[in-house]
Amino acid sequence: MVTVRQIILSLISSQLPPPEIPSNVALNLPNGDSKSIAIVGAGVAGLSMLKTLLDLPEQQRTTWDIVVFEERANIGGIWLPEPSPKPPPEIPETPLYPLLHTNTPIPMMTYPGLPFPKGTHLFPSHEHVLAYITHYSDRFNLAPHIQFNQHVLSASWHGSSTQGNWNVTYSNQHNATQSRLFDHLIVASGSLHIPRIPHWRGEREWLAKNLSPQRELMHSIWYRDPSKYRGKSVLIVGDSASGRDIASQLAPIVRKLYISIRGNTNKDDSHGPLPPNAIRMPGISHFTADLVVFVNDSAIEVDTVLLATGYEMRKPFLDAGGVLTTDPTARSNASYSKALVSNTRYIFPLYKHIFSLSPSYPPNALAFIGLLSGIPNCPADLAQSLIVAHAIRDPSVLPSRKRMLQELATQEQELRNENFDPYTIGHLMVDGKRASDYQDDLVDYLKDKGVIADDGHKFVDKWRREIFTYRYLKRGWKRIEALGVGDEWTRDVEREEEWAELMEKVNSWQEEYEGRQDIEDSVLVQYNI
């Protein structure tokens, strides 16, 4: 059984063109007071928040003290590799594995106005993403504000619902502990750190059987090298993007490959089809000393069970400071009106998935950046950072706590009306339209407040919305890679408009190809798509 440490594991080159600062995020600010701000995490969310604060006119922030605490030795969050993590129960610093490629097209992942360099493939390896993040930090000189190798141990509020400060306690790599006081705390530490590890009856007996090689039941956060599983029989549990990707890496080398999918095993292949030799199985019921038994009473013998079962929404340093209560049974904001709660899937009550509505401190005192999933991180992080920066600069930008709680209740009820349980899906944007609308709503709100200039354009560009409708894009790019012509397609693509045109072209090209050839799934899988 894995023991979760009480920590929070946080989260290009000169070829890149200069960023075009969107006119629709121009700021209109009065003079501000002295403030101290702590940001936890120097991944894409923390860097976005830091840059947004530094983008405020200097006369507004000249007396502001802004500090980013990053546990690791460099920026990048989960995109910063850790090739040889320690074995369980020590939790890796990142789930990143060497063969990882992006599962979304890179134009979708960029900060507005700052595309990837020309020649980058649409679904590149993780090294390209880290290089992009590094360039972002270097270009805007963010590193001087970041304290590396600083592990935040706890954050506690000292004060009332109207004033006070955060006591942030942290330690360095030598375990020397310090504390500092801050007016505002921004949590940008990511959510892919503490593995969600289900357990079944009989798993200990199954693991204890004396075999060579020894059986293994392990979460995918420890997965690194597919060659480790050569010739073995492997069961992957979970239908996530990582589960599908790992399955595609193991398929050519394992003896048998199974994937366990709870619920309807014939659901659509939103993360791409399974490899042709992968066998779908239903959810696990239990283990015996020899078998994995499924809910339909079928059973298999395997050497390894890999859990692609996601991650728990936990913030240990907030638990340690008494700011957050973690209760897996929590199901209602009404039951927890006096504190912030996580049921390991959903942190609540939060306004717009950002601001804590605990009555213990002001609404702008504690904010979260980057909790959302199912949304392009960089632009969404920027939209969230804008409203946080303005709420810190002027608390009156936010509605009353009562109004924010009412809006949250309405939002959750709307999800229930569409048969989504907000306490189960957590901070997931359930479709592309909502993901785009969410970002536009945040920025439109600031425009209505008069703190961002309105030039008549939406924050989310039309092409960013259209990406969600490109059903053939990934298959088309896989075919381009299989043909070995990816460089030809991307050689001269540089500006955002050109990236948008490229994606439209690839999507249309593949759609026309499939329609002309009447391609069946059995043919598509030869390209592992």
Side-chain angles (χ1 to χ4, degrees):
M1 179 177 179
V2 173
T3 301
V4 177
R5 298 176 297 164
Q6 291 300 301
I7 62 172
I8 186 65
L9 298 171
S10 302
L11 294 132
I12 303 207
S13 69
S14 60
Q15 299 179 51
L16 285 167
E20 301 170 7
I21 304 302
S23 59
N24 60 350
V25 296
L27 305 177
N28 177 22
L29 302 175
N31 290 329
D33 299 323
S34 175
K35 300 178 189 298
S36 56
I37 304 165
I39 303 171
V40 181
V44 292
L47 295 178
S48 179
M49 187 69 249
L50 173 59
K51 180 183 179 297
T52 303
L53 290 169
L54 296 177
D55 280 346
L56 300 176
E58 189 171 357
Q59 67 270 24
Q60 310 301 325
R61 57 174 178 81
T62 185
T63 58
W64 290 19
D65 178 23
I66 305 169
V67 178
V68 180
F69 293 100
E70 170 52 53
E71 183 174 52
R72 305 185 68 187
N74 211 330
I75 63 164
I78 62 169
W79 296 101
L80 183 63
E82 182 192 18
S84 302
K86 294 179 181 178
E90 193 75 12
I91 297 177
E93 294 177 335
T94 173
L96 183 71
Y97 44 86
L99 295 181
L100 178 71
H101 282 62
T102 68
N103 62 358
T104 54
I106 54 165
M108 191 178 191
M109 301 171 63
T110 56
Y111 294 105
L114 188 65
F116 275 71
K118 60 184 178 180
T120 310
H121 285 201
L122 274 180
F123 297 86
S125 65
H126 61 86
E127 291 93 346
H128 292 268
V129 181
L130 181 60
Y132 176 84
I133 298 169
T134 301
H135 173 78
Y136 181 82
S137 175
D138 291 345
R139 183 174 189 82
F140 301 111
N141 196 30
L142 302 182
H145 300 273
I146 305 172
Q147 295 189 12
F148 294 105
N149 298 306
Q150 303 296 330
H151 166 44
V152 177
L153 300 169
S154 69
S156 56
W157 176 256
H158 298 273
S160 67
S161 61
T162 58
Q163 61 183 355
N165 50 50
W166 296 99
N167 184 19
V168 177
T169 301
Y170 53 98
S171 64
N172 60 23
Q173 67 267 44
H174 305 297
N175 293 320
T177 300
Q178 301 180 60
S179 292
R180 285 187 61 180
L181 298 180
F182 293 92
D183 301 314
H184 302 273
L185 176 62
I186 301 169
V187 180
S189 52
S191 303
L192 305 180
H193 298 299
I194 299 178
R196 184 178 301 280
I197 301 179
H199 295 282
W200 295 273
R201 174 170 52 90
E203 67 180 59
R204 290 186 179 181
E205 290 77 8
W206 180 82
L207 285 168
K209 184 122 183 201
N210 188 18
L211 296 173
S212 181
Q214 185 61 41
R215 288 170 173 165
E216 181 180 57
L217 192 158
M218 184 181 76
H219 193 277
S220 61
I221 194 172
W222 283 278
Y223 172 83
R224 292 296 184 273
D225 183 6
S227 65
K228 172 183 176 182
Y229 304 97
R230 185 177 300 277
K232 293 186 177 182
S233 179
V234 178
L235 168 65
I236 297 174
V237 181
D239 195 28
S240 64
S242 61
R244 291 296 179 99
D245 191 41
I246 292 171
S248 71
Q249 294 177 26
L250 297 185
I253 62 174
V254 297
R255 186 176 77 255
K256 281 279 192 178
L257 180 62
Y258 304 89
I259 183 165
S260 170
I261 304 171
R262 290 190 304 173
N264 180 10
T265 60
N266 295 314
K267 64 194 246 186
D268 65 18
D269 293 318
S270 58
H271 298 301
L274 290 175
N277 62 333
I279 302 170
R280 290 178 185 260
M281 304 299 293
I284 295 175
S285 168
H286 62 279
F287 288 72
T288 70
D290 297 303
L291 301 170
V292 181
V293 183
F294 299 92
V295 293
N296 64 352
D297 293 327
S298 61
I300 59 173
E301 292 187 47
V302 292
D303 304 308
T304 297
V305 178
L306 284 175
L307 304 175
T309 47
Y311 297 84
E312 296 191 353
M313 187 67 70
R314 293 180 182 267
K315 303 295 177 186
F317 66 94
L318 294 181
D319 285 274
V323 177
L324 177 69
T325 298
T326 299
D327 177 3
T329 68
R331 305 290 298 176
S332 168
N333 278 312
S335 302
Y336 294 89
S337 59
K338 295 183 179 180
L340 201 61
V341 181
S342 172
N343 65 5
T344 76
R345 297 181 184 274
Y346 186 46
I347 295 178
F348 59 92
L350 297 181
Y351 179 62
K352 302 294 187 183
H353 303 277
I354 303 171
F355 297 100
S356 170
L357 297 179
S358 167
S360 299
Y361 38 79
N364 69 345
L366 175 60
F368 295 80
I369 303 292
L371 291 182
L372 292 171
S373 59
I375 194 169
N377 292 109
C378 288
D381 292 344
L382 174 58
Q384 291 185 328
S385 297
L386 284 166
I387 195 168
V388 171
H390 283 285
I392 290 174
R393 189 267 311 173
D394 179 7
S396 69
V397 165
L398 294 177
S400 67
R401 181 183 279 108
K402 180 179 179 181
R403 174 66 180 272
M404 289 189 282
L405 284 167
Q406 290 171 340
E407 288 188 32
L408 174 59
T410 299
Q411 167 202 317
E412 292 181 347
Q413 188 55 49
E414 288 173 350
L415 286 170
R416 293 188 188 96
N417 293 344
E418 298 181 53
N419 297 317
F420 296 108
D421 180 357
Y423 293 84
T424 299
I425 67 170
H427 302 285
L428 171 69
M429 291 282 112
V430 296
D431 57 55
K433 181 180 184 302
R434 272 177 241 241
S436 297
D437 288 347
Y438 170 83
Q439 298 169 72
D440 278 342
D441 289 346
L442 290 179
V443 177
D444 286 348
Y445 175 83
L446 294 174
K447 291 178 181 178
D448 291 342
K449 284 287 185 178
V451 294
I452 284 182
D454 187 354
D455 65 352
H457 295 287
K458 289 292 187 179
F459 176 78
V460 178
D461 293 307
K462 183 173 180 287
W463 65 266
R464 289 187 184 268
R465 283 183 173 270
E466 290 173 346
I467 293 175
F468 289 103
T469 69
Y470 290 166
R471 296 175 49 228
Y472 302 89
L473 179 61
K474 191 169 186 178
R475 293 204 295 270
W477 189 257
K478 285 282 189 178
R479 186 158 67 96
I480 288 170
E481 294 275 24
L483 294 170
V485 294
D487 290 345
E488 296 177 23
W489 282 74
T490 60
R491 182 177 295 122
D492 298 319
V493 179
E494 187 170 13
R495 295 180 296 109
E496 284 186 330
E497 296 82 359
E498 293 169 339
W499 283 106
E501 291 171 3
L502 172 67
M503 290 186 294
E504 182 180 14
K505 181 179 178 181
V506 172
N507 186 70
S508 298
W509 177 74
Q510 181 67 16
E511 182 179 13
E512 190 273 337
Y513 172 76
E514 292 187 22
R516 184 177 70 249
Q517 299 293 325
D518 192 24
I519 300 298
E520 300 291 339
D521 285 346
S522 59
V523 177
L524 290 177
V525 295
Q526 69 178 299
Y527 298 117
N528 188 26
I529 50 181

